[in-house]
């Protein structure tokens, strides 16, 4: 049913409007009695659990940052069968993000271009929502992805990240530092090892005992990826998330006029599959076996998840294929993983 609904209705709606409408449904699914029925249909099978970051994840497959920026859909996403939900990106200062339109579908490529610009209600609002979530049962595994506030100069980025970490780390199962979005001016420059290391040192101190990870871009040269991975181990981080969206437009099947109309922004979805897998292998080769590596980019099927796990991923995340596969996407992947055991 969902492919028909997507072709005839959803694909004709503005992508950002469709996302918000979908999130309203997801929020409803997280409220009893709807959550009880949904969970009964979608919960991961026994035996799919993964131990990582000092936690037990009910499934290796979770939701990447960007889908639930303000921690409003956690309960619904958990009910739909995702093993963890990474909320955000959250910034210390609330911000509206970039001007609309800022989200574009590339349907022939099963991809999306976004230049959202970290639109979110800010760390204080996220803190209040996470406090409420922590009082609820069952308790979902929640990662919190933090980024730089747009109004803060790059030179003051460390203090900005620390401010978010101090508020949110005590409520997060893990904290992820996002220095790899292409939609905040100057942000990707923070990925240079000599800049990134002191930033992560400061955030790690602020995070206390909460596991800290860093999210990197797929567009980095291979040697820089290795250098960041080695630095992350040296600085005592808990893991790396690989990868964010790409600024590349190579090899796309979508009409070039549609791609040009979408303009600047990060590309996500199926076209990232090969590069994301390459980056995973580079990172895994540079870090110890116990180091957590979360692979994201181009994930659509249970086979994709199995490929990432076989290549050394500890956990796997997805986002864009939700638009094309629908609300039972996590169920499809979890069932596929269970059949392969």
């Amino acid at each position: 049913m969902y492919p028909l609904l997507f072709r005839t209705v959803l694909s004709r709606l503005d992508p950002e409007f469709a996302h918000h409408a979908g999130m309203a449904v997801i929020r409803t699914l997280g409220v009893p009695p709807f959550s009880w029925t949904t969970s009964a249909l979608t919960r991961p099978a026994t035996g799919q659990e993964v131990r990582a970051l000092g936690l037990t994840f009910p499934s290796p497959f979770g939701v990447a940052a960007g889908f639930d920026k303000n921690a409003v859909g956690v309960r619904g996403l958990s009910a739909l069968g995702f093993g963890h939900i990474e909320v955000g990106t959250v910034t210390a200062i609330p911000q509206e993000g970039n001007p609309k339109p800022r989200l574009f579908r590339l349907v022939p490529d099963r991809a999306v271009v976004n230049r959202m610009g970290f639109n979110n209600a800010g760390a204080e609002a996220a803190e209040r929502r996470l406090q409420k979530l922590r009082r609820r049962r069952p308790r979902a595994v929640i990662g919190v992805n933090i980024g730089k506030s747009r109004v803060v100069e790059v030179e003051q980025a460390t203090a900005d990240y620390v401010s978010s970490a101090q508020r949110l780390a005590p409520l997060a199962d893990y904290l992820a530092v996002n220095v790899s979005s292409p939609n905040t001016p100057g942000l990707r420059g923070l990925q240079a090892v000599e800049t990134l290391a002191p930033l992560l040192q400061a955030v790690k101190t602020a995070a206390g005992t909460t596991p800290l990870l860093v999210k990197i871009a797929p567009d980095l040269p291979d040697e820089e990826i290795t250098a960041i991975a080695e630095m992350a181990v040296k600085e005592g981080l808990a893991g790396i998330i690989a990868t964010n969206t790409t600024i590349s437009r190579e090899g796309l099947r979508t009409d070039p006029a549609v791609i040009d109309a979408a303009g600047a922004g990060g590309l996500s979805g199926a076209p990232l599959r090969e590069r994301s897998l390459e980056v995973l292998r580079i990172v895994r080769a540079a870090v110890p076996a116990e180091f957590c590596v979360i692979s994201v980019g181009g994930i659509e099927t249970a086979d994709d998840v199995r490929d990432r796990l076989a290549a050394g991923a500890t956990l796997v995340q997805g986002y864009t294929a939700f638009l094309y596969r629908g609300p039972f996407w996590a169920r499809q992947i979890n069932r596929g993983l269970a059949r392969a055991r």
Side-chain angles (χ1 to χ4, degrees):
M1 287 293 295
Y2 183 82
L4 177 63
L5 177 66
F6 179 80
R7 288 196 306 270
T8 58
V9 179
L10 297 179
S11 64
R12 302 175 187 273
L13 299 176
D14 171 76
E16 190 168 349
F17 174 84
H19 176 79
H20 289 307
M23 185 59 79
V25 175
I26 290 168
R27 293 176 72 172
T28 301
L29 294 176
V31 178
F34 304 107
S35 60
W36 302 335
T37 304
T38 304
S39 295
L41 293 171
T42 63
R43 68 170 58 96
T46 302
Q48 288 186 258
E49 298 88 353
V50 174
R51 283 289 300 171
L53 304 175
L55 307 162
T56 299
F57 294 76
S59 163
F61 184 59
V63 182
F67 194 93
D68 184 4
K69 294 179 181 295
N70 291 306
V72 297
V74 169
R75 296 178 69 197
L77 290 166
S78 180
L80 284 169
F82 290 97
H84 68 281
I85 299 94
E86 186 172 312
V87 301
T89 296
V90 179
T91 55
I93 301 170
Q95 54 189 47
E96 295 183 358
N98 291 322
K100 299 178 181 180
R102 54 195 181 181
L103 184 64
F104 308 87
R105 303 183 192 93
L106 306 185
V107 177
D109 291 291
R110 301 180 70 79
V112 164
V113 170
N114 95 82
R115 52 173 174 272
M116 304 300 289
F118 290 170
N119 56 307
N120 75 106
E124 184 177 355
E127 180 183 28
R128 290 195 300 269
R129 293 194 179 102
L130 289 168
Q131 286 170 340
K132 291 180 181 179
L133 285 167
R134 287 316 187 198
R135 294 195 290 266
R136 301 286 178 82
R137 292 290 184 271
R139 190 179 186 277
V141 178
I142 306 172
V144 179
N145 184 296
I146 59 173
K148 185 185 79 67
S149 304
R150 192 181 189 95
V151 297
V152 172
E153 297 296 331
V154 172
E155 293 76 16
Q156 282 75 52
T158 297
D160 190 62
Y161 278 100
V162 165
S163 175
S164 294
Q166 288 171 335
R167 279 190 178 275
L168 301 174
L171 300 164
D173 287 310
Y174 69 84
L175 197 67
V177 173
N178 186 347
V179 288
S180 51
S181 169
N183 299 319
T184 296
L187 187 72
R188 284 194 168 190
L190 295 174
Q191 291 180 112
V193 170
E194 61 273 15
T195 305
L196 184 57
L199 187 155
L200 293 175
Q201 289 169 2
V203 176
K204 185 173 183 294
T205 299
T209 59
T210 302
L212 182 67
L213 295 84
V214 62
K215 188 168 187 175
I216 63 174
D219 306 309
L220 292 168
D222 292 358
E223 59 272 17
E224 290 187 27
I225 293 169
T226 297
I228 291 173
E230 292 174 345
M231 179 272 295
V233 174
K234 179 182 177 183
E235 297 298 335
L237 267 65
I240 286 178
I241 304 173
T243 63
N244 212 317
T245 58
T246 180
I247 58 174
S248 172
R249 300 292 188 268
E250 292 183 10
L252 298 179
R253 295 179 293 174
T254 300
D255 184 335
V258 174
I259 298 170
D260 290 343
L267 175 75
S268 62
L272 263 73
R273 184 178 293 114
E274 290 186 13
R275 179 55 181 166
S276 180
L277 183 56
E278 287 176 357
V279 174
L280 166 62
R281 288 173 172 148
I282 293 167
V283 171
R284 179 46 75 194
V287 300
E290 66 276 11
F291 193 79
C292 179
V293 183
I294 302 179
S295 184
V296 54
I299 302 297
E300 283 211 46
T301 67
D303 285 340
D304 292 330
V305 175
R306 274 193 295 271
D307 288 345
R308 302 303 170 93
L309 296 174
T314 314
L315 300 163
V316 181
Q317 294 178 343
Y319 173 172
T320 302
F322 199 119
L323 283 66
Y324 295 103
R325 297 254 172 184
F328 289 106
W329 178 39
R331 180 183 185 274
Q332 294 164 7
I333 286 182
N334 288 329
R335 295 299 186 272
L337 293 175
R339 286 194 297 270
R341 290 208 309 271

